[in-house]
Amino acid sequence: MNGFNSYKSDLGFDIGSGLSGQSTYIKKKDEQNNRILMEEQYKLLQMQKAEILAQQKFRKEYNKSSKIMLYISVATLFITFLSLIISFFK
């Protein structure tokens, strides 16, 4: 509320009077606030982009490791099957 009171005392009229939108001070302040907001949004988008790229990298590595584990499991199953067959013939 103190910010609104300072506008009121600086400009000499009430904020709701319809003339407040014409003030160059308020326009400059709004432009500064918009720039700050846009910079923060850009930073947030960059962080989200980095997080998405990290997740994609993790998924690729996970898929590679799961394929390797599948091949190891198949090889182990094949060796176990061969061992079973050999044990029957002894």
Side-chain angles (χ1 to χ4, degrees), residues 11-23:
L11 301 174
F13 52 81
D14 288 334
I15 290 178
S17 68
L19 299 174
S20 61
Q22 304 299 323
S23 170

Side-chain angles (χ1 to χ4, degrees), residues 11 23 31-32 38 40 45 54-55 61-63 76 80 84-85 87:
L11 301 174
S23 170
E31 288 174 3
Q32 288 174 350
M38 287 172 40
E40 291 297 321
L45 285 174
Q55 288 176 355
E61 292 297 321
Y62 182 78
N63 285 339
T76 305
T80 305
L84 182 64
I85 291 176
S87 68

